[in-house]
Amino acid sequence: MKRRALLLVAGLVVAAVAGLGWWAAGREAALATTSEAPAPALAVRPVWPARESWPQALPAAGSIAAWEEVVIAPEIGGLRLAQLHVSVGDRVRKGQLLARLSPGTLEADVAASRAALHEAEAAAAEARRAAGRALSLQGTEVLSAQAIDQAVAAAQAAEARLAAARARAQGDALRLAYTRVQAPDDGVISARPAVEGALVQAGEELMRLQRHGRLEWRAELPGPDLAQVEPGQAARVLVGAQAVSGRVRQVAPQVDLQRRTGIVHVELDPAPGLRAGLFARGEILGAPRPVLTLPDTALLLRDGQAYVFRIEGDTVRQQKVTPGARRGDRVEIRAGLAPDAAVVESGVGFLADGMTVRVVDAPPSSKERP
C-alpha cells in the first residue's frame, strides 16, 4: 500500500510539471504574436495656414477715468448746508439744483440794498431835474455860473451814488443766488462727500460731476510706440469678459521721465459695467497687415516654446514656430512655418516627433488652404 501511494504522488508531480511547461510555452507564443502586431495609428486631421488681413495691434494697459471731472463747490462760505438734492450715481442736467445753502442774513442784505437803490434813484432823479433847471437859466442873471456848475456837479454825484447802490444791490442778489448750487453741465454725480447740516466754506468740495458721463481709457504705451498712434484710431478694451470699443482722442505730447511711457487717451463707447477707476488691458488698432494664422488648437506650448506637428506622409514632425497676436480662436504665426505646410489641427498633446499617424482626408475650409 505504501509503495502504491508513492507511485501515485510521483505521477501527480510529473503531470503538474508538464502542465506548467505547456502554459509557459503558450504564454511565450501569445507574447510573440502581440509584439509582431503593429500599434494602431492615431487619426489626425490636416490644416493649412491661412492668409488673412489683421489690423496692427499695440497692446497696452491703463486705468479707466472720467473724460472730465468737475469739482462742485459753493462760491460763498460761512453758511450751513440746508439741502442736498442728488446722490451718487444720479444723472443731472445743466442748471439743475443740486444743493441749497441756508441764506442766513443774505435775504435781509438784499432787501436793504434794494431800498438804498430806490433812495439813490430818487436822489439822482431830483439832482437831474435841478441840473436841468439850472442849465435852462444859463446866460441869464438869475443864477450865477458857479451855481449852475454846482447843480451839474450835484447831479453827477447823485448818478455815481446811484451806480454804487445798483452795484451793491446786484452783489447782494448774486450772493443770495450762490446759495443755490446748480449743475455746471450735464453729467453723472460720481462722489458726494457733503453732509446736510454742515457748515461749509467757499471752495469746499460738495460733490464731483463726470461731465456728460463720458469715460476714457488712459492707456500707457512705451515712448517709441507713441509715434504709431494718431487721434481717431480704433481701440478695444477688455473689462472683465466684456470687450468695449473706443477711439483715440488724444496722444500725450511728452513721456514720463521715470517710467518712459506716454498716455494715450481713448474715448470709450457707453457700455454696462464701465466704472471709473477700473484697471483694464486692451489694444490700439492700426492699419491692416497680412498675416499667416492657424487655429490655436494646432499649437503645442511646451517649456515656454510653441510647436506644431507638420504632416509628412504618414508621420508627423515637431517644428518650432513663433506665435504672434491672437484674434478669437486664431493665432498669428510670425516665423517657422511655410505657407503651404500641412499641420495637425488638434490633439497635438498626444503626438511625438516621428510618430506614425493616419491622416483623415477632409475638405479644407477657405481658411485652411493658402
Side-chain angles (χ1 to χ4, degrees):
M1 289 293 293
K2 183 180 291 186
R3 183 177 180 182
R4 295 178 65 181
L6 289 174
L7 290 174
L8 180 60
V9 170
L12 291 174
V13 170
V14 171
V17 170
L20 287 174
W22 294 335
W23 176 82
R27 183 173 181 275
E28 289 179 0
L31 289 175
T33 304
T34 304
S35 62
E36 293 175 359
L42 185 67
V44 297
R45 184 175 183 272
V47 67
W48 288 264
R51 290 189 177 96
E52 299 185 50
S53 180
W54 282 10
Q56 299 184 51
L58 293 175
S63 300
I64 296 176
W67 165 59
E68 286 184 353
E69 193 169 47
V70 182
V71 176
I72 299 175
E75 299 187 52
I76 56 175
L79 300 177
R80 199 166 297 279
L81 183 57
Q83 292 178 336
L84 283 169
H85 297 282
V86 293
S87 298
V88 174
D90 289 351
R91 287 192 169 271
V92 299
R93 307 289 296 177
K94 182 177 181 179
Q96 180 178 334
L97 181 63
L98 305 179
R100 189 175 63 83
L101 306 180
S102 176
T105 61
L106 292 179
E107 292 178 341
D109 294 341
V110 170
S113 60
R114 286 177 179 173
L117 175 61
H118 293 324
E119 181 180 0
E121 287 175 345
E126 175 60 28
R128 283 194 297 271
R129 289 193 295 268
R133 289 193 297 268
L135 290 174
S136 66
L137 298 176
Q138 191 175 14
T140 65
E141 296 181 356
V142 176
L143 286 176
S144 65
Q146 182 181 4
I148 295 174
D149 291 341
Q150 290 175 349
V152 171
Q156 293 174 346
E159 291 291 344
R161 288 191 293 272
L162 175 61
R166 186 176 289 115
R168 283 193 297 272
Q170 291 175 348
D172 290 340
L174 187 59
R175 282 190 290 274
L176 181 62
Y178 284 159
T179 60
R180 296 172 54 87
V181 181
Q182 297 175 318
D185 205 344
D186 298 347
V188 178
I189 302 298
S190 59
R192 199 200 71 174
V195 179
E196 286 187 359
L199 193 67
V200 297
Q201 301 299 325
E204 181 181 346
E205 179 180 339
L206 299 181
M207 58 195 74
R208 288 177 180 262
L209 174 73
Q210 291 179 0
R211 194 183 295 273
H212 298 290
R214 290 165 55 183
L215 297 176
E216 68 177 15
W217 178 45
R218 296 177 181 174
E220 292 190 21
L221 282 178
D225 290 346
L226 293 178
Q228 305 178 42
V229 183
E230 295 181 355
Q233 284 185 220
R236 182 173 53 191
V237 182
L238 293 178
V239 181
Q242 181 183 18
V244 182
S245 300
R247 291 201 169 273
V248 176
R249 180 177 64 85
Q250 185 181 16
V251 181
Q254 65 180 15
V255 175
D256 185 86
L257 295 177
Q258 302 296 326
R259 306 179 65 175
R260 303 300 179 184
T261 59
I263 302 297
V264 177
H265 300 265
V266 178
E267 184 176 352
L268 299 176
D269 296 337
L274 280 183
R275 298 287 187 275
L278 289 176
F279 180 82
R281 297 186 180 274
E283 54 188 10
I284 298 172
L285 307 178
R289 58 186 175 89
V291 294
L292 284 178
T293 68
L294 282 175
D296 55 6
T297 55
L299 266 69
L300 174 66
L301 301 179
R302 180 181 293 164
D303 299 330
Q305 303 293 332
Y307 301 90
V308 296
F309 284 90
R310 195 177 69 255
I311 299 175
E312 295 182 352
D314 59 352
T315 61
V316 292
R317 294 296 179 186
Q318 180 174 298
Q319 184 164 330
K320 181 180 176 181
V321 295
T322 303
R326 290 177 176 263
R327 289 179 67 85
D329 60 350
R330 308 288 296 184
V331 182
E332 175 191 2
I333 304 300
R334 293 184 175 177
L337 188 64
D340 57 350
V343 300
V344 178
E345 181 186 38
S346 60
V348 293
F350 301 99
L351 300 177
D353 188 34
M355 185 176 179
T356 301
V357 296
R358 179 169 55 88
V359 179
V360 178
D361 293 328
S365 65
S366 61
K367 282 189 176 183
E368 292 173 345
R369 281 290 188 184

